[in-house]
């Protein structure tokens, strides 16, 4: 079991460049594998989750060529050559690791194929409900079976000729929306998803980038079947969910200032900025690129934070940032309420229970609710030995909390961080021990042997 320790922060780096966006990296690899021709993906996030998607698409017939690796981070540039919309049957079950995005979105793609595929994952993924995606895909004609009433992994997806549907999401979910829209590419006619509140729109933006026509009307998102993605190079911006950890660290430190460079500024993902502004943080952002996925620099200046209410329509926009925002609440004046966030119960772990438990161990008063929690800020935090619960966002959030605690905070099970943020330990060290920060330097070009060992190159087989 990997252990990381945190202590009172020593300094705030002037700038940091976080790794590529996780959601966009997943989807870019899938679209590239569905397109005819070669797509070069730059700024790719080489986390365990995203590499599961790359290896899954390779198992389904795509050809993967590593192009560039960064020391301490991993593969950040690769080329994927797809064979079009008709994939090949994998030779064995496909491992989705810990990635809910991989298993849910690829289920949509596999629903339109003419073969049967088994999808499995680790212990954590195997507890997560897949019924929410299996139900609409079954309505389209696919045969999806899993374990128990919640249809958990391992899943079997038997594709067939699909029919379009008009589907109202019972719970706002970008993953379920994306799975249906991807399946809709294989169904003749118009497939429509109705969202109760807007969710992140990376799939729709990538539709446009890869030449797929789609339509947004009020709360409805539609796509017409029979279209094929066009291979198109893409640059992935930095992940704002990863930047959020350092945003909170800086926002809660008086007189501190940090610049997060090349961060994705998609409006469906910037809710964390809005919440921090509401709490009294000084945050500014400036777009440097607006085509495709908007991106730019985020500057955070520290000061005193105040309590707020986080809930309603903004929850899908901040769902991944709620663990670190709960830490911000503990550092703020007053009582913060997080509500309408029952979705946190079915993430990599029950994040409501995990956050509440770890905050209490650090001396914070927390009242847990079925759909959220109430956090009394202003308590003097003390170091503790904390579990990660196998959840990367819990692990990173509480290593940041440790920066504001007396004594040492020991985080057990830190290996889970690699599922979303390779290089996190290096950046953590900048805060704890000082350092220049800045951008990791590419150290290898061409085809790194270490990466080639991780991702088999089936076109050389």
């Amino acid at each position: 079991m990997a252990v990381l320790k945190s202590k009172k922060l020593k300094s705030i780096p002037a700038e940091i460049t976080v790794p590529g966006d996780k959601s966009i990296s997943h989807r870019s690899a899938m679209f590239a594998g569905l397109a005819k021709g070669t797509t070069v993906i730059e700024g790719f996030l080489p986390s365990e989750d995203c590499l599961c998607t790359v290896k899954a698409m390779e198992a389904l017939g795509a050809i993967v060529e590593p192009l560039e690796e960064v020391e301490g981070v991993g593969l950040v540039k690769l080329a994927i050559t797809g064979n079009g919309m008709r994939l090949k049957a994998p030779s064995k079950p496909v491992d989705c690791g810990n990635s809910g995005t991989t298993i849910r979105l690829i289920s949509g793609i596999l629903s339109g194929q003419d073969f049967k595929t088994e999808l499995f994952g680790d212990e954590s993924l195997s507890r997560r409900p897949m019924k929410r995606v299996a139900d609409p895909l079954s309505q389209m004609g696919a045969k999806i079976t899993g374990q128990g009433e919640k249809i958990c992994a391992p899943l079997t997806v038997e594709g067939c000729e699909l029919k379009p549907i008009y589907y109202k999401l019972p719970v706002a979910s970008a993953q379920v929306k994306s799975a249906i829209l991807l399946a809709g590419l294989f169904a003749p006619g118009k497939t429509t998803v109705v969202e109760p509140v807007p969710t992140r729109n990376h799939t729709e933006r990538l539709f446009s980038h890869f030449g797929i026509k789609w339509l947004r009307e009020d709360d409805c998102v539609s796509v017409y079947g029979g279209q094929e993605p066009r291979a198109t190079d893409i640059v992935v911006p930095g992940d704002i969910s990863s930047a959020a950890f350092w945003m909170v660290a800086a926002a809660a430190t008086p007189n501190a200032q940090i610049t997060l460079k090349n961060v994705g500024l998609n409006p469906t993902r910037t809710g964390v900025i809005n919440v921090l502004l509401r709490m009294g943080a000084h945050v500014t952002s400036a777009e440097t690129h607006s085509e495709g996925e908007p991106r730019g620099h985020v500057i955070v200046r520290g000061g005193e934070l105040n309590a707020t209410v986080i809930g309603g329509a903004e929850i899908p926009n901040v769902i991944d940032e709620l663990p670190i925002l709960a830490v911000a609440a503990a550092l703020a004046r007053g009582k913060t309420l997080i509500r309408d966030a029952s979705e946190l119960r079915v993430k990599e772990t029950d994040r409501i229970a995990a956050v509440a438990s770890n905050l209490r161990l650090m001396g914070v008063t927390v009242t847990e609710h079925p759909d959220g929690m109430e956090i009394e800020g202003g308590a003097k935090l003390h170091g503790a030995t904390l579990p990660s619960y196998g959840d990367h966002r819990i692990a990173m959030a509480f290593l940041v909390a440790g920066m504001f605690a007396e004594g040492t905070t020991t985080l057990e099970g830190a290996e889970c961080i690699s599922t979303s943020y390779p290089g996190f330990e290096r950046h953590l060290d900048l805060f704890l021990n000082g350092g220049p920060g800045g951008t990791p330097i590419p150290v290898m070009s061409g085809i790194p042997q270490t990466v080639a060992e991780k991702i088999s190159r089936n076109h050389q087989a």
Side-chain angles (χ1 to χ4, degrees):
M1 178 185 292
V3 172
L4 282 179
K5 295 188 177 184
S6 185
K7 59 185 180 182
K8 283 275 191 178
L9 64 83
K10 182 176 182 180
S11 64
I12 300 288
E15 62 181 44
I16 275 183
T17 301
V18 297
D21 187 277
K22 187 167 177 271
S23 296
I24 301 171
S25 294
H26 275 301
R27 288 161 171 79
S28 296
M30 292 181 197
F31 275 84
L34 288 173
K36 276 189 177 178
T38 299
T39 295
V40 174
I41 305 173
E42 190 171 350
F44 180 79
L45 173 65
S47 68
E48 288 183 4
D49 276 10
C50 293
L51 289 175
C52 279
T53 290
V54 170
K55 288 184 278 190
M57 295 309 296
E58 187 177 41
L60 294 167
I63 297 171
V64 179
E65 181 180 3
L67 298 178
E68 186 179 290
E69 183 176 316
V70 167
E71 183 179 14
V73 177
L75 178 67
V76 297
K77 187 176 181 180
L78 68 162
I80 298 180
T81 302
N83 293 316
M85 298 285 282
R86 290 298 165 191
L87 307 179
K88 75 170 189 179
S91 59
K92 58 183 180 181
V94 175
D95 185 0
C96 299
N98 186 244
S99 177
T101 302
T102 303
I103 196 169
R104 290 189 175 116
L105 270 63
I106 282 187
S107 292
I109 293 170
L110 291 173
S111 293
Q113 305 302 313
D114 59 0
F115 52 80
K116 183 188 296 185
T117 308
E118 183 178 334
L119 304 172
F120 71 99
D122 65 10
E123 183 180 351
S124 171
L125 186 66
S126 299
R127 293 194 300 266
R128 299 176 68 179
M130 298 299 151
K131 188 176 189 299
R132 59 180 58 184
V133 72
D135 283 352
L137 295 178
S138 297
Q139 289 181 30
M140 297 180 78
K143 296 178 182 178
I144 300 179
T145 56
Q147 314 307 305
E149 292 182 3
K150 295 182 179 180
I151 312 185
C152 296
L155 298 180
T156 298
V157 182
E158 185 174 352
C160 63
E161 291 186 10
L162 301 180
K163 59 184 180 183
I165 60 171
Y166 181 92
Y167 189 78
K168 293 183 178 181
L169 292 176
V171 176
S173 169
Q175 290 181 0
V176 177
K177 173 182 69 173
S178 298
I180 298 168
L181 293 176
L182 285 167
L185 294 176
F186 299 92
K190 182 180 179 182
T191 292
T192 297
V193 178
V194 184
E195 298 188 281
V197 295
T199 63
R200 59 185 63 179
N201 63 359
H202 300 306
T203 296
E204 296 95 306
R205 285 178 177 269
L206 282 171
F207 274 159
S208 297
H209 187 81
F210 281 84
I212 299 293
K213 295 179 180 179
W214 61 282
L215 180 65
R216 176 103 205 184
E217 294 177 300
D218 298 324
D219 55 356
C220 299
V221 184
S222 303
V223 68
Y224 286 89
Q227 302 183 75
E228 183 173 271
R230 180 182 64 242
T232 312
D233 296 347
I234 186 168
V235 177
V236 179
D239 197 321
I240 195 167
S241 295
S242 296
F245 298 104
W246 315 125
M247 291 166 63
V248 168
T253 304
N255 303 316
Q257 180 170 309
I258 191 170
T259 299
L260 289 310
K261 302 188 71 176
N262 194 39
V263 174
L265 295 175
N266 184 315
T268 64
R269 293 285 300 282
T270 52
V272 62
I273 294 177
N274 297 332
V275 172
L276 287 175
L277 285 170
R278 208 161 63 231
M279 296 180 79
H282 302 279
V283 186
T284 58
S285 60
E287 280 190 17
T288 56
H289 296 82
S290 58
E291 293 183 4
E293 288 282 351
R295 61 187 189 274
H297 305 325
V298 177
I299 301 171
V300 182
R301 288 189 291 117
E304 187 174 52
L305 298 179
N306 298 302
T308 189
V309 176
I310 308 171
E314 73 179 334
I315 287 295
N317 200 319
V318 296
I319 195 71
D320 287 339
E321 293 78 48
L322 285 175
I324 189 60
L325 286 173
V327 171
L331 301 173
R333 274 193 321 185
K335 189 179 293 186
T336 292
L337 176 63
I338 298 173
R339 65 188 184 196
D340 307 313
S342 57
E343 179 71 9
L344 289 178
R345 298 281 188 190
V346 291
K347 289 291 187 178
E348 283 82 341
T349 189
D350 180 338
R351 285 182 176 164
I352 293 174
V355 167
S357 177
N358 279 359
L359 284 177
R360 290 188 190 110
L361 289 172
M362 299 186 79
V364 181
T365 299
V366 183
T367 302
E368 188 177 331
H369 300 295
D371 66 341
M373 67 194 88
E374 199 169 59
I375 301 164
E376 293 189 21
K380 192 172 184 178
L381 303 188
H382 55 75
T385 298
L386 306 173
S388 71
Y389 297 93
D391 189 315
H392 53 121
R393 300 202 191 279
I394 298 296
M396 291 184 281
F398 282 93
L399 286 166
V400 171
M403 297 177 182
F404 299 90
E406 295 296 328
T408 299
T409 297
T410 301
L411 193 287
E412 297 180 334
E415 64 274 4
C416 61
I417 291 172
S418 62
T419 64
S420 71
Y421 197 152
F424 175 84
E425 186 174 357
R426 171 184 174 274
H427 283 164
L428 177 68
D429 187 61
L430 298 178
F431 287 80
L432 300 184
N433 301 308
T439 307
I441 299 173
V443 294
M444 300 182 72
S445 298
I447 305 171
Q449 184 63 33
T450 55
V451 177
E453 290 171 355
K454 292 180 183 177
I455 305 178
S456 64
R457 301 180 62 199
N458 57 15
H459 59 298
Q460 289 189 346

